[in-house]
Amino acid sequence: MSTSRVSTLVIRTPEGIAFSLPLACPVTRCLAWFIDIACIMGLMTLVGVFLGLAKLISLDFGRALAIVGYFVVQVGYGMACEWLWRGQTVGKRLLRLRVMDAQGLHLQFNQVALRNLLRFVDCLPAFYMVGGLVSLLNPRAQRLGDLVANTIVVRNLKRPEPDVDQLMAGKYNSLRDYPHLEARLRQRVSPREAAVALQALLRRDQLDLQARLDLFEQLASHFRSVVVFPVEACEGIAAEQYVRNVVDVLFRPRAR
């Protein structure tokens, strides 16, 4: 794993796959946080309406409840959004940013909790000074909360859609001979599974030979278990070709 001068994190997996993640700069993260602050203030205004009833009972009790309420809203907002929206808050979503595990793994709830709880330390002594300085000095633009939680913030770039027609051009697909099983396959395979299979085909030349064989063997085995096609449709077809046929069924409408 390494970082370059253009703020890109390169992660290499044990399977020999290398992929890069564009890191978010401190300025963009600050703008996203301003948007989130506005959302938090809006939530606090709504909460304040209900807390106003507590002041009718006791002024001190109402003030104490307001402090607790502010803490819960500020911390809970970040935790809830980043956990439910897979690393995004309102500000991050608008500016196309996302929190991720520093090794590219699935973001865990304890990481989300840690980075949001330590936000109060990053804000010290004022205007996010600690977090800003740490982020500027860190090559991966991580604030203190990110360092403790082992997270990074990346930019979600818009990528052109792959040309599936060109990928499948000139390839005979034996699965097309069974329209009712085609329809069943499209019904049972989730969009995420379909995307994984497509990306595997698009990046197959980047894999080591053994990793490539193992990956397509696992994918083919999975899709064969989802829908069982007749033996004559699968006999003599390599695992990679079977996955190619499945992707053809999933992404391209049936020719008329």
Side-chain angles (χ1 to χ4, degrees):
M1 183 173 59
S2 61
T3 53
S4 66
R5 293 293 182 181
V6 293
S7 299
T8 299
L9 179 69
V10 178
I11 297 177
R12 301 184 185 279
T13 69
E15 293 79 15
I17 305 173
F19 60 96
S20 59
L21 299 171
L23 296 170
C25 68
V27 175
T28 308
R29 293 182 62 174
C30 185
L31 292 175
W33 178 236
F34 283 146
I35 297 174
D36 290 330
I37 283 289
C39 294
I40 290 173
M41 296 307 296
L43 290 173
M44 279 303 304
T45 301
L46 294 176
V47 172
V49 175
F50 295 99
L51 293 180
L53 300 176
K55 293 181 180 179
L56 300 177
I57 302 173
S58 170
L59 185 59
D60 291 336
F61 175 71
R63 288 174 178 172
L65 203 59
I67 294 174
V68 174
Y70 176 76
F71 175 82
V72 171
V73 170
Q74 186 173 29
V75 176
Y77 165 84
M79 286 187 186
C81 288
E82 289 180 2
W83 179 244
L84 296 175
W85 286 351
R86 296 182 300 170
Q88 289 187 306
T89 58
V90 174
K92 289 184 178 68
R93 177 166 286 198
L94 290 176
L95 295 180
R96 302 187 65 81
L97 306 181
R98 185 182 300 277
V99 179
M100 291 185 60
D101 177 88
Q103 275 69 49
L105 303 175
H106 181 69
L107 191 65
Q108 302 295 321
F109 180 75
N110 65 309
Q111 293 176 294
V112 172
L114 274 174
R115 72 184 309 277
N116 280 282
L117 288 172
L118 285 172
R119 192 180 299 278
F120 291 99
V121 180
D122 281 311
C123 289
L124 295 175
F127 304 110
Y128 236 102
M129 187 172 294
V130 170
L133 287 175
V134 173
S135 179
L136 288 172
L137 296 174
N138 188 279
R140 296 190 291 184
Q142 293 170 293
R143 62 177 176 84
L144 187 61
D146 289 318
L147 289 172
V148 175
N150 195 35
T151 56
I152 54 174
V153 179
V154 300
R155 293 181 289 124
N156 285 340
L157 300 179
K158 288 185 177 180
R159 302 183 185 276
E161 291 295 327
D163 189 350
V164 181
D165 288 333
Q166 184 177 4
L167 181 66
M168 305 298 172
K171 301 291 184 179
Y172 170 69
N173 188 348
S174 57
L175 306 186
R176 292 287 192 181
D177 296 334
Y178 304 90
H180 63 293
L181 295 179
E182 274 189 87
R184 190 177 303 171
L185 185 66
R186 282 191 291 267
Q187 182 183 28
R188 293 184 178 179
V189 174
S190 69
R192 184 172 183 177
E193 291 172 323
V196 168
L198 176 59
Q199 288 302 317
L201 288 173
L202 293 173
R203 301 184 183 187
R204 61 193 184 279
D205 293 332
Q206 302 173 20
L207 302 174
D208 296 336
L209 178 58
Q210 190 58 49
R212 179 172 175 173
L213 292 173
D214 292 342
L215 174 61
F216 282 103
E217 190 60 46
Q218 293 176 21
L219 288 172
S221 177
H222 170 72
F223 289 123
R224 287 190 180 107
S225 67
V226 172
V227 174
V228 179
F229 280 82
V231 177
E232 54 268 25
C234 311
E235 189 175 13
I237 297 179
E240 184 171 329
Q241 183 58 47
Y242 190 85
V243 175
R244 185 189 298 272
N245 290 349
V246 169
V247 169
D248 181 33
V249 169
L250 297 175
F251 284 91
R252 295 206 303 172
R254 185 174 176 80
R256 295 182 179 178

